[in-house]
Amino acid sequence: MDHVEFGKYLSQQRELRGMSRDEVSRVTKISPSLLAALEEGQVERLPERVFVINYIRSYATVIGLAPEDAVLRYDEVSKATPELSPVALERERRRRAWLVLVVLLVLLAGVGAYVALVLSGKLPRPLPG
């Protein structure tokens, strides 16, 4: 089972009980967009795990499922999803840092070239504001 299948399980259980997503949102005070992300298995749209676990408990309680059973199912899904190792996380962080540095250098070079062209007279000076 993956996150999408878990979300389908939740939505099917909700629908079997004749409840709409809006009803669950109103009772649990969980935003409709977060409920949609949970039911559609869109992990990237969900907050930290501790919040998701509490959302699942509330959701399960409202629709009449055993909250701990729902959390156990979610835990099984989460354990099956591989997490990035610290080495991979560091590699990704460095890659992003290099990308930001390159973008900043390109922007700085562009501004420098513009200033040099204006000072050399090859481009007209900007009008005073």
Side-chain angles (χ1 to χ4, degrees), residues 50-124:
V50 66
F51 296 108
V52 175
I53 294 298
N54 285 322
Y55 293 161
I56 292 170
R57 280 191 182 110
S58 295
Y59 185 108
T61 301
V62 166
I63 67 169
L65 289 176
E68 292 312 312
D69 288 344
V71 169
L72 286 174
R73 278 182 185 248
Y74 181 78
D75 283 340
E76 288 175 16
V77 169
S78 294
K79 288 176 185 169
T81 305
E83 292 186 23
L84 291 177
S85 70
V87 172
L89 289 172
E90 180 64 15
R91 189 178 312 127
E92 180 63 20
R93 186 193 66 77
R94 286 183 182 196
R95 187 189 68 77
R96 285 187 187 145
W98 277 108
L99 182 62
V100 168
L101 180 63
V102 168
V103 168
L104 288 174
L105 288 175
V106 167
L107 287 172
L108 188 59
V111 170
Y114 175 76
V115 169
L117 289 172
V118 168
L119 291 176
S120 70
K122 294 184 179 175
L123 285 178

Side-chain angles (χ1 to χ4, degrees), residues 32-53:
S33 64
L34 284 175
L35 284 179
L38 186 62
E39 287 187 353
E40 293 164 13
Q42 297 174 335
V43 183
E44 66 280 356
R45 290 180 44 208
L46 295 172
E48 296 296 318
R49 183 180 184 286
V50 66
F51 296 108
V52 175
I53 294 298

